[in-house]
Amino acid sequence: NAGVTQTPKFQVLKTGQSMTLQCAQDMNHNSMYWYRQDPGMGLRLIYYSASEGTTDKGEVPNGYNVSRLNKREFSLRLESAAPSQTSVYFCASSAGLAGGAISYEQYFGPGTRLTVT
Amino acid sequence: GENVEQHPSTLSVQEGDSAVIKCTYSDSASNYFPWYKQELGKRPQLIIDIRSNVGEKKDQRIAVTLNKTAKHFSLHITETQPEDSAVYFCAARTYTGGFKTIFGAGTRLFVKA
């Protein structure tokens, strides 16, 4: 049981390049999230997927797109990277709405450290 | 928009002393309040959480209190140990209209041996 996994661990991009960050969970969770973490600013929600087939914007969605490929996988795409997107990106999952109850506890992946030059 | 303020940003205590971190939130619809611990270079990990229908929760040396009227919640760590040194984040979550979790900016806790 690996929990939440992310690839890659590190990435350096040039301004204007594109890339996709991958996230997968093996806990049969309904909900998945993408956060970015910048020094001194805590975690900010980029996009989330409350359940398979749905995605919604979070606090800072501009410059990103997401795909909930199936129940296990949730990817984050940067179409044209900018230096302001230099950050550590965390994927998380939670059971969400299941069996008539809501479980809020989020489990985080190990993070992807992205640098845009 | 919704906001979570966390204080202090840095806290230094002597081993064995208590540490208290405080947060306030703006969205009165918030109904779940987790606390995360993040060690350097690691992922955030949940250490304790509380729902809006509970005023206090304790787990060994860690406790959280919630005052819904004041929109204020706090983390209390007693008998601190050097391994408690980390960054701690509070968060407030609402399910109204969709999932939103807003995090505080974090408190860096140093426990001196």
Side-chain angles (χ1 to χ4, degrees), chain B residues 7-8 12 16 18 22 25 29 34 38 44 47 56 62-64 72 74 76 80 82 94-95 100 106:
Chain B
H7 299 282
S12 184
S18 295
K22 299 181 179 183
Y25 60 98
Q38 187 178 29
I47 56 171
E56 184 174 359
I62 295 172
V64 58
H72 172 275
S74 300
H76 303 254
T80 54
T94 177
Y95 189 56
K100 280 188 292 184

Side-chain angles (χ1 to χ4, degrees), chain A residues 2 4 31 33 35 37 40-43 45 48 50 59 90 94 96-97 102-106 108-110 113, chain B residues 2 31-32 36 38 41-46 49 51 87 89 93-95 97-106:
Chain A
V4 180
S31 305
Y33 315 83
Y35 292 92
Q37 184 174 36
M41 295 190 73
L43 291 137
L45 183 65
Y48 65 94
E59 299 172 80
F90 286 100
S94 66
L97 183 60
I102 299 174
S103 175
Y104 298 122
E105 181 175 350
Q106 292 188 23
F108 284 83
R113 187 173 294 275
Chain B
E2 291 80 9
N31 57 0
Y32 173 70
Y36 289 88
Q38 187 178 29
K42 301 282 183 67
R43 72 191 79 186
Q45 294 203 299
L46 182 74
D49 56 11
R51 297 202 180 201
V87 179
F89 293 98
R93 183 180 178 91
T94 177
Y95 189 56
F99 291 100
K100 280 188 292 184
T101 299
I102 306 298
F103 282 78

Side-chain angles (χ1 to χ4, degrees), chain A residues 71-89:
Chain A
K71 192 171 186 179
R72 289 188 63 246
E73 299 172 286
F74 188 39
S75 63
L76 178 72
R77 183 159 178 84
L78 286 70
E79 289 292 349
S80 179
S84 61
Q85 293 179 305
T86 294
S87 190
V88 179
Y89 291 84

Side-chain angles (χ1 to χ4, degrees), chain A:
Chain A
N1 192 342
V4 180
T5 57
Q6 292 181 235
T7 56
K9 285 187 167 54
F10 301 94
Q11 184 70 49
V12 179
L13 293 177
K14 292 189 189 317
T15 297
Q17 287 185 318
S18 62
M19 80 161 295
T20 300
L21 281 64
Q22 307 286 355
C23 174
Q25 52 89 13
D26 61 3
M27 295 176 281
N28 200 35
H29 283 171
N30 287 311
S31 305
M32 298 185 74
Y33 315 83
W34 276 105
Y35 292 92
R36 60 178 288 173
Q37 184 174 36
D38 301 304
M41 295 190 73
L43 291 137
R44 292 184 292 170
L45 183 65
I46 304 171
Y47 270 93
Y48 65 94
S49 172
S51 60
E52 187 179 357
T54 70
T55 60
D56 284 287
K57 294 178 180 179
E59 299 172 80
V60 289
N62 291 344
Y64 305 96
N65 284 299
V66 291
S67 295
R68 183 76 182 266
L69 304 168
N70 48 55
K71 192 171 186 179
R72 289 188 63 246
E73 299 172 286
F74 188 39
S75 63
L76 178 72
R77 183 159 178 84
L78 286 70
E79 289 292 349
S80 179
S84 61
Q85 293 179 305
T86 294
S87 190
V88 179
Y89 291 84
F90 286 100
C91 177
S93 71
S94 66
L97 183 60
I102 299 174
S103 175
Y104 298 122
E105 181 175 350
Q106 292 188 23
Y107 297 82
F108 284 83
T112 294
R113 187 173 294 275
L114 175 67
T115 302
V116 183
T117 61

